[in-house]
Amino acid sequence: MRPTHLALAVLVAAVWGVNFTVVEIGLGHFPPLLFSALRFLVAALPAVFFVGRPKVAWKWIVAVGLVLGVAKFGLLFVGMDAGMPAGLSSLVLQIQSVFTAVIAFAVLGERPTRVRLLGMAVALAGIGVAAADEGASGSLGAFALVVAAAACWGASNVLTRRASPPDPLNFMVWVSTVPVLPLLALSLLTEGPSRDLAALRALDWQGAGTLGYVAWVTTVFGFGAWGWLLHRHPASTVAPFSLLVPVFGMTSAALFLGEPVSGLRWCAAALLVGGVALTSLAPAARSAVPSAARSAVPSAVPPSAPSAVQPAAQPADRAPVQPADHAHAQPVAQPADQPPVPPVVQPDGTAWTSVHPVDVPAPERTGAGS
């Protein structure tokens, strides 16, 4: 990786890490669900008019928009508003890689290797240490909301993997159009129209600045730059930089918000980052192919190998063996009304698959930001 590309990867991790501190400041100006709705509204407009038409089916855009935008960010913002510290949120949210691996196993049949299982166990131990640290001085309910947000992020990663968007920025911008109305409706129902109107009337430069940062810098620039890097380098090269997100998140929260970092929290950070590294970067085991698929597709043959319909090449001094009865020879082909069995996609890590993170999302071939 060129020095400029390396610097860009570190910058994106820093942008995503500092984002948690900015969200904490923004929650002082907006109710959490309204803040999340405005974040997606500003991220989608006017970008949606410049990224072109959606490049995947609308069912994937709607599904990811609801799971990632409404569920994940709604839970995260509500959890932080309920007292979950910004630095700890940036750390705990990385457990999404474990949820991604578990859901991918249940839905896609992607069997985790022993190294990944070890990483999941280490990361869960880090969550336990973080919960013990937070339980001594904070709200375990808020902690649980952020863990639930990480689970929703894992589910959205699997959905994004199924969608396989060819253009992550285009996908993220269109996904951002989905959560706006549901989040606004939830905000009106739970936070109340009077509180929402009061927040909008009291909007100042600091509130507008936090909104602009989480929408344009974190989402549009962060995902755009991350997708640009993934198009030029293997995911295994780019993904490790997402492990810097909680480092920047905890550091910025300590510097700008005065959040203390206890010894237990550093221990939790070491366990979580180490476990996430093992879970995200270890090679994936091959998925188990269903028996029906094995019977329909005899073998996976690389493009350069002889076709299954053609006989293998014979030595020059031997004539090809012909069927005894041409009238009864059956071609090796699938029925015309039966679609071919799709190939099983094998990820090489929980990074933005054709996807991320951003605060996001993760988007799949990335596992970072908020």
Side-chain angles (χ1 to χ4, degrees):
M1 183 179 286
R2 296 178 182 177
T4 53
H5 294 185
L6 188 149
L8 180 61
V10 174
L11 176 61
V12 173
V15 163
W16 282 334
V18 173
N19 182 69
F20 288 89
T21 297
V22 176
V23 168
E24 184 74 24
I25 296 171
L27 288 172
H29 296 264
F30 305 97
L33 294 176
L34 176 64
F35 189 23
S36 188
L38 293 175
R39 171 257 183 89
F40 284 109
L41 176 64
V42 175
L45 299 175
V48 71
F49 298 110
F50 298 98
V51 297
R53 297 170 61 87
K55 294 179 172 59
V56 299
W58 270 103
K59 64 178 181 180
W60 299 118
I61 293 174
V62 172
V64 175
L66 293 176
V67 176
L68 179 72
V70 178
K72 183 256 185 176
F73 282 105
L75 290 168
L76 174 64
F77 281 33
V78 171
M80 292 181 66
D81 187 62
M84 184 68 169
L88 187 59
S89 296
S90 71
L91 178 64
V92 170
L93 203 62
Q94 302 312 311
I95 199 68
Q96 58 85 21
S97 65
V98 174
F99 285 112
T100 299
V102 171
I103 297 170
F105 170 71
V107 177
L108 304 179
E110 296 177 2
R111 295 175 298 183
T113 62
R114 291 182 180 180
V115 175
R116 283 192 170 183
L117 289 173
L118 174 62
M120 292 163 66
V122 173
L124 289 174
I127 285 291
V129 173
D133 180 50
E134 181 64 12
S137 59
S139 169
L140 283 178
F143 185 94
L145 288 173
V146 176
V147 173
C152 293
W153 191 2
S156 73
N157 283 342
V158 175
L159 288 170
T160 306
R161 182 174 299 165
R162 295 294 301 273
S164 297
D167 184 344
L169 179 60
N170 172 281
F171 183 69
M172 190 58 214
V173 169
W174 282 102
V175 163
S176 296
T177 65
V178 175
V180 177
L181 291 180
L183 285 170
L184 282 175
L186 287 172
S187 178
L188 290 173
L189 288 173
T190 61
E191 296 164 347
S194 59
R195 186 181 175 191
D196 288 350
L197 287 174
L200 293 174
R201 288 171 180 163
L203 182 63
D204 56 15
W205 286 107
Q206 187 181 58
T210 60
L211 188 57
Y213 184 95
V214 299
W216 293 328
V217 180
T218 300
T219 305
V220 178
F221 166 76
F223 276 112
W226 195 260
W228 186 88
L229 288 168
L230 286 171
H231 274 86
R232 286 157 179 79
H233 302 283
S236 59
T237 300
V238 180
F241 289 93
S242 68
L243 298 176
L244 295 173
V245 170
V247 176
F248 286 110
M250 294 175 68
T251 303
S252 63
L255 289 176
F256 299 108
L257 302 177
E259 289 186 3
V261 183
S262 64
L264 273 180
R265 190 164 299 181
W266 281 120
C267 179
L271 289 171
L272 260 171
V273 171
V276 168
L278 289 173
T279 305
S280 302
L281 305 180
R286 289 187 175 275
S287 300
V289 180
S291 58
R294 286 198 299 269
S295 63
V297 183
S299 63
V301 183
S304 59
S307 169
V309 187
Q310 298 175 350
Q314 301 290 336
D317 58 342
R318 294 180 60 185
V321 177
Q322 300 293 337
D325 187 352
H326 292 283
H328 296 284
Q330 298 295 327
V332 181
Q334 295 182 346
D337 60 345
Q338 178 179 339
V341 178
V344 179
V345 179
Q346 296 291 347
D348 54 1
T350 53
W352 176 271
T353 70
S354 293
V355 201
H356 153 120
V358 107
D359 292 254
V360 344
E364 266 222 68
R365 280 207 159 128
T366 54
S370 140

